């Protein structure tokens, strides 16, 4: 009984905890490649952005909505910041906190863009924002080298999700 | 209810279209990857307005052995990060027959800081020694296949024509040029001027997407 009460209390705490992620993981390319190669029936919505990129910031709320709307489906939103690693504390973390981003946020710690862009997607020229929708089990993959409206993102997701 | 009856087939058709386009890069407002110049292509001449009000074209400089064409702009932080390196390229190569030609392709409706007036201000303030052209219709960026700022095209004269010799980045370190381990444009220039084939003819880099005009 006591245990149960503790459990209930814990659950309550979890529920009341801020629903946004304030953590930004700094990763190298192989971590990203593992996600891109995952053979499961999970749809990954991967958005490459930066705090200095205005069109990126304008479309971030759409990805947050996708995360919330498909929270009970196998849909994962991953926001990969291409800010310089030196801007992590000064720019990226405060931005993520201020915007209350609840999606997973990574910062890709790679300098040589020419070496990694093709490994992410050969069709990507390097312009930001860039968005990838992937489901490897179902062999679905779409990419956008342009900012997306909420309607465009919703439409692009249709083959990937249950209505 | 009646409304839903004709909405449903419409949605189905939409879903089908989207379904068929999977595994492709969805065509955006800019050039698709199949459009634009490849290395070796002949670059079409263009006529664009310079910040001094005069019109500039590739043929207007009879003494040019080639050009370092850079799609860039005022507002993109990556273009700003490379600005002094673009100025240095001009300083180094203009006297050897390869001046820089900077072109701003952004739609000022979307990026007000990239208007012609703001371009004039920046060119004056930074004392650009090269033309800074406004691609108002975005047709030049589209023809070249430029997607981002900064995006470099090195052109080499071949008779009356200019051929694309290199496409891509200036170097491989945006934040700190002095720490770059590859200086792509400089390497290409050294090889071109020595009459040798360019080793690395195209590279990719992170940049700001060109602010394409919204389709009417």
């Amino acid at each position: 009984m006591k245990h149960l009460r503790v459990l209930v209390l814990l659950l309550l705490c979890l529920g009341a905890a801020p629903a946004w992620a304030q953590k930004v993981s700094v990763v190298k390319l192989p971590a990203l490649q593992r996600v891109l190669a995952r053979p499961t029936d999970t749809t990954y919505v991967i958005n490459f952005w930066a705090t200095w990129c205005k069109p990126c910031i304008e479309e971030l709320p759409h990805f947050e909505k996708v995360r919330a709307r498909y929270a009970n489906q196998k849909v994962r939103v991953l926001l990969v910041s291409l800010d310089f690693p030196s801007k992590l504390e000064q720019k990226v973390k405060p931005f993520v906190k201020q915007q209350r981003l609840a999606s997973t946020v990574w910062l890709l710690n790679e300098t040589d863009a020419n070496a990694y862009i093709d490994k992410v997607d050969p069709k990507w020229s390097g312009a930001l924002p860039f968005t990838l929708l992937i489901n490897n089990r179902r062999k679905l993959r779409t990419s956008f080298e342009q900012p997306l409206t909420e309607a465009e993102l919703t439409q692009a997701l249709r083959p990937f999700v249950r209505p | 209810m009646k409304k839903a009856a004709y909405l449903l087939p419409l949605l189905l058709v939409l879903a089908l279209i989207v379904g068929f386009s999977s595994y492709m890069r969805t065509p955006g407002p800019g050039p698709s990857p199949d459009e634009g110049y490849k290395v070796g292509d002949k670059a079409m001449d263009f006529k664009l307005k310079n910040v001094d009000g005069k019109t500039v074209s590739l043929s207007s400089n009879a003494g040019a052995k080639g050009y370092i064409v850079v799609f860039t702009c005022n507002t993109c932080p990556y273009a700003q990060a490379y600005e002094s390196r673009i100025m240095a390229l001009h300083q180094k190569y203009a006297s050897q027959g390869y001046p820089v030609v900077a072109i701003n392709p952004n739609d000022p409706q979307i990026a007000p800081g990239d208007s012609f007036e703001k371009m004039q201000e920046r060119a004056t303030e930074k004392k650009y020694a090269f033309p800074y052209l406004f691609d108002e219709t975005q047709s030049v960026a589209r023809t070249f296949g430029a997607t981002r700022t900064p995006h470099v095209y090195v052109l080499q004269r071949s008779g009356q024509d200019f051929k694309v010799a290199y496409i891509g980045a200036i170097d491989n370190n945006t934040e700190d040029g002095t720490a770059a381990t590859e200086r792509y444009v400089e390497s290409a220039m050294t090889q071109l001027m020595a009459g040798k084939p360019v080793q690395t003819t195209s590279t990719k880099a992170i940049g700001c997407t060109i602010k394409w005009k919204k389709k009417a």
Side-chain angles (χ1 to χ4, degrees):
Chain A
M1 192 60 204
K2 205 173 173 186
H3 286 292
L4 194 73
R5 208 179 296 162
V6 171
L7 195 75
V8 167
L9 212 86
L10 252 171
L11 282 173
L12 276 175
C13 281
L14 279 173
W20 62 90
Q22 297 194 8
K23 210 178 80 192
V24 179
S25 307
V26 178
V27 302
K28 300 294 280 183
L29 181 65
L32 184 59
Q33 285 178 300
R34 278 194 290 276
V35 172
L36 294 174
R38 214 159 273 169
T40 55
D41 186 15
T42 297
T43 296
Y44 287 93
V45 178
I46 309 176
N47 172 249
F48 294 84
W49 65 289
T51 59
W52 50 259
C53 165
K54 196 165 153 257
C56 303
I57 289 167
E58 286 167 357
E59 67 171 0
L60 279 179
H62 312 331
F63 293 99
E64 287 286 281
K65 277 192 192 164
V66 165
R67 185 205 58 82
R69 190 181 306 145
Y70 302 110
N72 59 354
Q73 293 191 36
K74 282 189 267 176
V75 176
R76 297 278 170 274
V77 174
L78 175 58
L79 307 174
V80 181
S81 155
L82 293 175
D83 283 88
F84 298 135
S86 62
K87 303 286 186 209
L88 176 69
E89 297 297 334
Q90 173 201 345
K91 282 274 170 96
V92 185
K93 281 186 178 174
F95 179 86
V96 168
K97 194 172 169 185
Q98 180 216 334
Q99 299 290 316
R100 303 190 167 190
L101 298 182
S103 305
T104 306
V105 182
W106 285 4
L107 184 143
L108 184 63
N109 181 19
E110 296 285 353
T111 325
D112 191 349
N114 186 49
Y116 74 72
I117 290 173
D118 274 342
K119 289 177 186 161
V120 173
D121 192 321
K123 292 193 208 85
W124 183 21
S125 88
L128 289 186
F130 180 71
T131 299
L132 258 178
L133 309 179
I134 297 185
N135 184 310
N136 285 331
R137 171 74 58 84
R138 287 189 273 148
K139 296 200 189 318
L140 291 171
R141 185 182 179 115
T142 313
S143 61
F144 297 89
E145 190 166 341
Q146 70 188 85
L148 296 172
T149 62
E150 196 181 336
E152 285 166 340
L153 181 59
T154 306
Q155 189 184 327
L157 264 167
R158 250 172 224 151
F160 290 85
V161 294
R162 293 194 305 275
Chain B
M1 197 57 218
K2 244 182 181 171
K3 208 171 173 185
Y6 66 80
L7 259 176
L8 199 69
L10 197 79
L11 280 175
L12 273 170
V13 169
L14 265 175
L16 270 173
I17 294 169
V18 173
F20 280 127
S21 66
S22 314
Y23 248 93
M24 294 157 62
R25 199 186 102 178
T26 311
S32 82
D34 320 316
E35 291 178 277
Y37 293 146
K38 308 277 177 289
V39 169
D41 284 357
K42 180 186 141 186
M44 275 203 309
D45 205 355
F46 51 76
K47 277 187 183 144
L48 291 177
K49 190 165 72 165
N50 190 15
V51 283
D52 65 3
K54 290 178 186 155
T55 303
V56 169
S57 58
L58 294 176
S59 55
S60 55
N61 183 347
K65 295 176 187 166
Y67 292 98
I68 302 171
V69 176
V70 188
F71 290 89
T72 185
C73 67
N74 286 359
T75 54
C76 170
Y78 269 40
Q80 290 164 4
Y82 273 109
E83 187 180 39
S84 60
R85 280 172 263 181
I86 294 166
M87 293 163 79
L89 283 174
H90 180 74
Q91 187 152 23
K92 187 169 178 184
Y93 296 110
S95 57
Q96 303 182 62
Y98 289 84
V100 162
V101 173
I103 301 175
N104 164 31
N106 282 350
D107 178 12
Q109 294 287 329
I110 300 172
D114 290 322
S115 68
F116 186 68
E117 292 71 31
K118 296 283 181 193
M119 288 172 62
Q120 291 177 310
E121 280 172 27
R122 188 155 195 117
T124 308
E125 184 195 328
K126 301 283 177 168
K127 300 189 176 68
Y128 285 177
F130 46 81
Y132 187 23
L133 312 177
F134 186 33
D135 184 12
E136 200 171 358
T137 65
Q138 308 187 312
S139 63
V140 176
R142 209 171 279 278
T143 305
F144 272 70
T147 59
R148 59 182 186 268
T149 55
H151 201 159
V152 178
Y153 292 74
V154 174
L155 309 181
Q156 187 183 30
R157 182 186 286 280
S158 151
Q160 288 303 304
D161 298 333
F162 289 93
K163 282 195 172 162
V164 179
Y166 171 80
I167 302 175
I170 290 170
D171 59 34
N172 70 349
N173 194 320
T174 303
E175 187 175 24
D176 182 4
T178 58
T181 53
E182 300 273 1
R183 293 189 170 80
Y184 303 118
V185 171
E186 289 187 42
S187 302
M189 290 307 301
T190 306
Q191 288 150 4
L192 269 187
M193 291 191 301
K196 290 180 188 158
V198 175
Q199 293 290 317
T200 303
T201 52
S202 63
T203 57
K204 290 185 173 182
I206 298 299
C208 304
T209 189
I210 288 176
K211 308 299 182 292
W212 300 105
K213 289 179 199 296
K214 289 209 164 65
K215 280 178 192 161

